[in-house]
Amino acid sequence: MKRLLLFTLTALLLLPLFCSCVMTGEDETLTARIIRIYPDADAILLAPMGMSEGQPPLFLHWEWHEELTEGDCMVLTYRGGLIEEKSAFLNAPLYRPKKTVSVTTDVKRFDNLASVYLQTLIDHVIENAGFGNPSMLSVDLSKTSLPENERTAFRLAIEEITGTVPLSLSVTELEEAGYLVKDPILEWEEGYVLSVIEAEEKSSGTKKFFRVGRWRSGRYSTSWIDNITECDENGVWSPYVKGRLRQT
């Protein structure tokens, strides 16, 4: 009788622990590139990599942003799923791991090129036209070496700024799809195109020349051409050196 009572008491004591394990489930791992850090929002923008590439890019709540760098490959192990939250600083859903188990970075897979391109484009648009509130928008990254997962995260960063979900079409593709009119010149009445173009003929292994621009019509477009970023011996791309302004 005493043994049965002892067993029952032990089971009752262990029951909350058992339920906790069942509720939290198994560990999940997210491997992703950090495309942009938002200190004011305690958030980072992630582009899932490798086995995680099937997941969409996302803004993740992260208070220790000073420990991470744009371009880092972050391996996040968590439990209980990702909980959607709201932020006063971001115009997009923000996610938080229910329980963070561990976080590491893989220095061998560091690559901050997408972050350099994104910052250059943002600076150009703000300086020359501003983003405004377009009803439509397209972000053309087809002439860059960025992988598709990073291009998608790049567009999410632009969506957060503008509040508009971007297309991924070039000016030519927009014309073929019927978005543009020609009367008498080609223009997009509802939106504009943002683009990044690598100058392959000028670039070398450690140095990239590239162009960023904002196009609305053959009558109105601005771009910075011959911007430069250089890769050091550790694989880190330098902040851009601004090129020349070209506008029509």
Side-chain angles (χ1 to χ4, degrees):
M1 184 69 179
K2 289 183 178 179
R3 288 183 178 179
L4 178 60
L5 181 60
L6 180 62
F7 175 79
T8 303
L9 288 173
T10 303
L12 289 173
L13 290 171
L14 292 176
L15 183 60
L17 179 62
F18 173 77
C19 292
S20 174
C21 292
V22 171
M23 288 176 65
T24 55
E26 297 181 356
D27 290 352
E28 299 177 67
T29 299
L30 173 63
T31 302
R33 172 92 60 227
I34 299 173
I35 302 300
R36 191 164 178 84
I37 297 176
Y38 299 81
D40 290 341
D42 287 331
I44 51 180
L45 172 58
L46 299 177
M49 302 168 56
M51 295 296 290
S52 301
E53 271 192 48
Q55 302 185 40
L58 75 158
F59 293 98
L60 185 75
H61 184 273
W62 197 257
E63 295 176 334
W64 305 281
H65 45 78
E66 67 276 4
E67 297 178 7
L68 298 171
T69 305
E70 291 175 350
D72 273 338
C73 169
M74 185 179 83
V75 183
L76 168 67
T77 303
Y78 61 97
R79 191 176 301 157
L82 296 174
I83 310 302
E84 183 176 340
E85 299 181 345
K86 290 186 177 180
S87 166
F89 296 94
L90 287 176
N91 297 316
L94 184 65
Y95 294 87
R96 181 198 295 266
K98 191 167 186 180
K99 177 178 176 56
T100 299
V101 178
S102 66
V103 181
T104 59
T105 55
D106 186 344
V107 294
K108 294 181 179 179
R109 289 196 280 178
F110 181 92
D111 189 344
N112 63 326
L113 187 60
S115 301
V116 173
Y117 287 167
L118 177 60
Q119 188 62 57
T120 314
L121 182 60
I122 289 173
D123 289 349
H124 169 72
V125 174
I126 290 175
E127 183 172 316
N128 292 281
F131 284 95
N133 297 294
S135 58
M136 297 194 74
L137 177 67
S138 188
V139 179
D140 179 18
L141 303 171
S142 61
K143 295 181 180 178
T144 71
S145 55
L146 299 179
E148 187 54 42
N149 61 317
E150 295 184 21
R151 295 182 189 188
T152 305
F154 191 115
R155 295 186 190 100
L156 182 58
I158 300 299
E159 178 183 342
E160 188 277 323
I161 294 172
T162 62
T164 302
V165 180
L167 301 171
S168 58
L169 304 177
S170 66
V171 172
T172 300
E173 291 169 331
L174 287 165
E175 183 182 12
E176 292 173 349
Y179 286 99
L180 310 184
V181 296
K182 194 171 184 179
D183 184 26
I185 62 171
L186 201 63
E187 64 180 329
W188 196 3
E189 295 178 339
E190 268 102 35
Y192 54 79
V193 182
L194 301 177
S195 62
V196 181
I197 300 172
E198 294 176 356
E200 295 181 1
E201 68 283 357
K202 295 182 179 180
S203 301
S204 64
T206 60
K207 184 180 291 187
K208 280 188 182 291
F209 287 81
F210 64 99
R211 170 180 178 171
V212 298
R214 180 184 188 272
W215 182 96
R216 187 152 197 166
S217 74
R219 185 181 292 120
Y220 181 78
S221 66
T222 64
S223 60
W224 286 344
I225 62 175
D226 291 337
N227 308 288
I228 304 171
T229 180
E230 195 160 2
C231 190
D232 65 17
E233 66 276 7
N234 298 314
V236 179
W237 292 95
S238 66
Y240 71 94
V241 176
K242 185 169 72 173
R244 308 188 310 277
L245 173 67
R246 176 179 291 174
Q247 57 186 346
T248 58

